[in-house]
Amino acid sequence: MTDEVYVASLVPSSDYRQETEGEKMEKRKLGKSGLEVSAIGLGCMGLSSGLGPATERQQAVALIRAAFERGVTFFDTAEAYGPFVNEEVVGEALEPFRKQVVIATKFGFKEGNAMKGVDSRPAHIREVADASLKRLRTEVIDLFYQHRVDPEVPIEDVAGTVKELVQQGKVKYFGMSEAGAQTIRRAHNVQRVTALQNEYSLWWREPEKEILPTLEELGIGFVPFSPLGRGFLTGAISKDMQFDKGDIRSVLPRFSAENRDANQAVVDLIAEFAKQRNATPAQIALAWILAQKPWMVPIPGTTKLHRLEENLGAANIKLTTDDLRQLDEATKKIEVHGERYPEHMQKMVGR
């Protein structure tokens, strides 16, 4: 699922917050599609679901608007977040400046519920698009992702349906999430895929093997979710931490107490690197992604204003070639313990 609530161990000073408020962020284009967004987006899932109790609605609206005020123009949601309520929150928050932002949402689950399995039948895609337009208070969905590949529906039919929605003016761009390279190619042959959203971070580099070369070849943008390892790379999650009811991390193998203890080595490495460069671990983790390719746009999530400001500060950190080499060599030596998802969820990725 997209995006994470980020709880960092280091809090920016008040001086730092004042310096970053009001600044405009650099823009990036997602591949060769022409879709331009802020270099860092905001993953909105955690405001409503996936990581414990939902944020009070008006607080969530205020945080999203604060992100816009600080230069964020790319906001990520889905019908499945809630389900449905996250789209409503995003729609309310962004309505005053709708034409100045890019909203991404997703289809692909039965009744908008990830627990009920996938559903990318053309009729269902059209239903989701119409419902999302209403919840988002908009006339067009900027970026419409297939949340997970549906093995029962040919991807050509999925891409063809989105192509029809584009022709009807209901959708501008087509995206995919957690899809395999061959599926991406097949979809792209029918309707240009503008962006792929997958997990990617210093903690999870699997996309580098096959996915990233495919995207570069086809001119598709990359939107890494969980760029902070669902909060783990910030150093705030210890082996003894207890997750709230409803927090997806409570069922992820990688977040078992045993695996968290084993994976602490990568956290310590990033923390030491950040200390030497007068930055926070979160900023280094995000700056590393920004330095990989100009068509990558991470979407960290948060429920707190000072964490938002800290994350956005990563856009001003430029890692040197030597910095990148050190991080690359050091992190590749560390084995990550535990699967990303339990078996039933793992079957839904990489199709």
Side-chain angles (χ1 to χ4, degrees):
M1 305 294 163
T2 124
D3 347 303
E4 77 234 45
V5 166
Y6 156 45
V7 280
S9 58
L10 296 175
V11 182
S13 69
S14 57
D15 288 340
Y16 173 81
R17 293 198 294 270
Q18 289 169 2
E19 288 169 7
T20 57
E21 281 189 20
E23 290 185 1
K24 292 301 179 184
M25 196 183 307
E26 68 171 289
K27 297 288 187 69
R28 292 190 163 201
K29 289 184 178 179
L30 288 172
K32 297 178 180 178
S33 66
L35 179 58
E36 189 174 67
V37 298
S38 53
I40 298 175
L42 180 66
C44 298
M45 182 192 78
L47 293 167
S48 304
S49 65
L51 293 158
T55 302
E56 190 274 325
R57 185 175 180 122
Q58 289 311 307
Q59 290 181 353
V61 167
L63 184 91
I64 293 170
R65 289 178 177 172
F68 172 74
E69 291 167 359
R70 286 155 178 79
V72 175
T73 65
F74 189 33
F75 297 85
D76 185 88
T77 183
E79 62 158 357
Y81 301 158
F84 311 126
V85 66
N86 196 248
E87 283 187 325
E88 294 173 354
V89 170
V90 170
E92 178 181 345
L94 298 178
E95 188 175 26
F97 24 82
R98 175 65 186 95
K99 293 183 179 180
Q100 298 169 260
V101 298
V102 171
I103 299 176
T105 192
K106 309 175 191 71
F107 65 87
F109 287 121
K110 293 178 181 177
E111 300 173 29
N113 189 334
M115 302 304 293
K116 294 186 177 182
V118 293
D119 183 356
S120 281
R121 292 172 297 124
H124 183 61
I125 296 172
R126 290 189 283 267
E127 291 171 359
V128 174
D130 288 339
S132 291
L133 285 168
K134 291 179 181 177
R135 287 189 290 266
L136 292 169
R137 305 185 187 188
T138 186
E139 296 179 353
V140 63
I141 296 167
D142 296 310
L143 178 56
F144 204 30
Y145 291 105
Q146 182 187 36
H147 212 149
R148 292 291 185 272
V149 172
D150 185 343
E152 301 300 320
V153 180
I155 195 62
E156 289 81 2
D157 292 351
V158 174
T161 302
V162 176
K163 185 174 184 175
E164 292 173 4
L165 292 170
V166 171
Q167 292 169 343
Q168 293 166 10
K170 294 181 178 181
V171 170
K172 288 185 180 179
Y173 298 95
F174 174 39
M176 303 181 77
S177 180
E178 292 280 23
Q182 294 309 310
T183 303
I184 294 168
R185 289 181 182 277
R186 287 168 53 198
H188 194 71
N189 284 335
V190 177
Q191 168 63 34
R192 170 183 280 278
V193 178
T194 290
L196 177 75
Q197 184 176 130
N198 272 30
E199 182 174 352
Y200 182 57
S201 68
L202 277 166
W203 197 24
W204 177 252
R205 301 180 61 172
E206 184 70 20
E208 294 174 354
K209 295 180 180 178
E210 186 177 17
I211 293 299
L212 295 187
T214 300
L215 300 185
E216 187 150 35
E217 175 193 338
L218 298 177
I220 298 172
F222 189 49
V223 180
F225 72 79
S226 297
L228 303 176
R230 300 187 191 273
F232 190 71
L233 299 185
T234 69
I237 300 176
S238 69
K239 66 177 181 178
D240 301 317
M241 181 175 174
Q242 299 294 314
F243 296 111
D244 290 333
K245 183 179 180 181
D247 190 321
I248 190 174
R249 292 172 293 189
S250 65
V251 299
L252 301 182
R254 194 172 296 173
F255 282 88
S256 70
E258 180 181 3
N259 284 335
R260 273 181 276 161
D261 191 32
N263 291 327
Q264 185 63 34
V266 69
V267 177
D268 294 342
L269 184 152
I270 296 171
E272 180 58 30
F273 189 93
K275 183 178 179 182
Q276 294 173 5
R277 284 150 186 81
N278 195 30
T280 69
Q283 290 169 346
I284 293 300
L286 292 171
W288 177 82
I289 288 177
L290 292 173
Q292 299 305 302
K293 299 289 182 180
W295 37 268
M296 288 188 186
V297 178
I299 49 169
T302 185
T303 61
K304 297 177 176 65
L305 179 60
H306 62 273
R307 305 306 188 200
L308 170 70
E309 292 172 340
E310 181 179 359
N311 289 351
L312 299 185
N316 299 319
I317 294 175
K318 307 301 179 186
L319 298 177
T320 67
T321 301
D322 190 53
D323 289 336
L324 294 171
R325 180 189 58 77
Q326 289 183 47
L327 281 169
D328 183 67
E329 292 178 354
T331 54
K332 280 187 175 179
K333 291 177 182 178
I334 300 173
E335 179 185 357
V336 176
H337 294 256
E339 296 295 329
R340 282 202 299 153
Y341 295 115
E343 186 176 357
H344 72 283
M345 294 174 69
Q346 190 64 38
K347 291 178 180 178
M348 298 169 68
V349 303
R351 288 172 171 164

